Amino acid sequence: MLNIVLFGPPGAGKGTQADFLIKNYNLIHLSTGDILRSEIKEGTTLGLEAKKLMDNGLLVPDDVVIGMIKSQLEKNPTSNGFIFDGFPRTQKQAKELDKLLNQKSTSISVMLSLTVDDQELIKRLLKRGIDSGRADDQNENIITNRINEYNIKTTPLKDYYRLQNKLHEINGIGSVSEIANKLNQIIDNL
Ligand code: B4P
């Protein structure tokens, strides 16, 4: 199985690149952000609780997102592999993901980490806020909170995967296709 952690700060291009990877490698795309947004749209209790945190740029509790990923893994027992987009975001999430994959006799193959400077991230997200109306992309203070959450709680995960020789860092500035080509090369050389 090919299991990819697609990593990077908000606005780095994770969702954008995931669209190419799922087609090229026939993988299942699991984006915790997308799952949470669909819970919000359906007005579930989980969605209503998550919305308060997401609208302020804060992370949703670990147990909530771990439960979501667990149920998606159970729903897809025969997949070629998964792209984890926006998950894990904390050490606890990373450890639980390892346990869940271990139960399926598999593991993370690679972490693809997109690096983009804060100024570019803010520019991209404010633009998406205008184009899509996404609540957490509309306000620079909320975007800054998301970047801070990433720097404090999520960046340490690079070390978690670096220690396992799974971390690959890629410059996330450039055309979408240039970046997609770089990701493909890394995967093809695994
Ligand atoms: P996510 O949905 O994961 O949102 P994101 O970090 O903004 O990344 P996304 O994938 O959508 O954007 P992309 O970089 O592709 O998370 C949203 C919220 O959900 C979090 O703040 C948190 O509250 C909650 N959450 C989600 N997962 C969680 C977890 N595991 N634990 C706890 N809480 C969790 O693209 C951004 C923009 O850049 C797009 O408009 C795109 O068109 C543009 N872009 C992409 N590539 C580009 C390029 N090369 N050049 C120029 N623009 C580009």
Side-chain angles (χ1 to χ4, degrees):
M1 276 175 93
L2 175 63
N3 298 310
I4 299 171
V5 171
L6 198 49
F7 193 78
K14 303 183 294 286
T16 307
Q17 293 299 328
D19 288 344
F20 291 93
L21 294 171
I22 46 176
K23 284 185 202 119
N24 284 352
Y25 299 96
N26 192 21
L27 303 171
I28 305 264
H29 181 203
L30 297 183
S31 158
T32 38
D34 286 351
I35 302 169
L36 288 166
R37 280 185 289 278
S38 95
E39 295 278 345
I40 292 173
K41 210 168 157 198
E42 285 166 26
T44 64
T45 313
L46 189 161
L48 294 174
E49 284 305 309
K51 186 174 182 340
K52 291 183 211 151
L53 295 161
M54 290 168 77
D55 283 355
N56 286 299
L58 302 173
L59 292 185
V60 171
D62 285 335
D63 291 340
V64 172
V65 282
I66 291 163
M68 289 176 351
I69 289 288
K70 184 169 186 280
S71 95
Q72 290 297 322
L73 291 177
E74 283 163 1
K75 275 189 203 158
N76 294 286
T78 57
S79 153
N80 264 350
F82 297 89
I83 296 191
F84 298 96
D85 166 3
F87 180 91
R89 266 175 151 101
T90 64
Q91 287 267 359
K92 180 170 175 190
Q93 293 179 21
K95 287 187 178 157
E96 291 299 321
L97 177 60
D98 282 349
K99 280 191 212 159
L100 291 171
L101 292 177
N102 193 29
Q103 283 162 17
K104 290 170 77 78
S105 303
T106 184
S107 60
I108 292 299
S109 318
V110 65
M111 172 193 254
L112 302 173
S113 170
L114 297 166
T115 53
V116 175
D117 62 78
D118 290 1
Q119 227 183 339
E120 170 74 11
L121 296 174
I122 294 169
K123 196 175 92 189
R124 286 183 189 181
L125 294 175
L126 286 174
K127 181 176 181 303
R128 186 172 64 185
I130 295 167
D131 297 343
S132 72
R134 225 176 100 169
D136 57 347
D137 287 341
Q138 309 259 334
N139 170 310
E140 198 164 330
N141 289 335
I142 296 172
I143 293 173
T144 305
N145 282 350
R146 288 160 66 194
I147 295 174
N148 289 341
E149 285 276 88
Y150 173 81
N151 288 335
I152 295 165
K153 297 180 183 163
T154 309
T155 310
L157 290 185
K158 282 192 198 178
D159 287 333
Y160 183 83
Y161 290 98
R162 186 185 282 117
L163 284 170
Q164 302 174 44
N165 290 319
K166 291 178 178 171
L167 170 68
H168 289 259
E169 296 201 83
I170 302 101
N171 181 358
I173 295 188
S175 76
V176 169
S177 61
E178 263 166 28
I179 297 164
N181 285 339
K182 288 190 215 163
L183 300 185
N184 287 342
Q185 269 177 23
I186 294 170
I187 295 168
D188 292 343
N189 286 329
L190 284 177

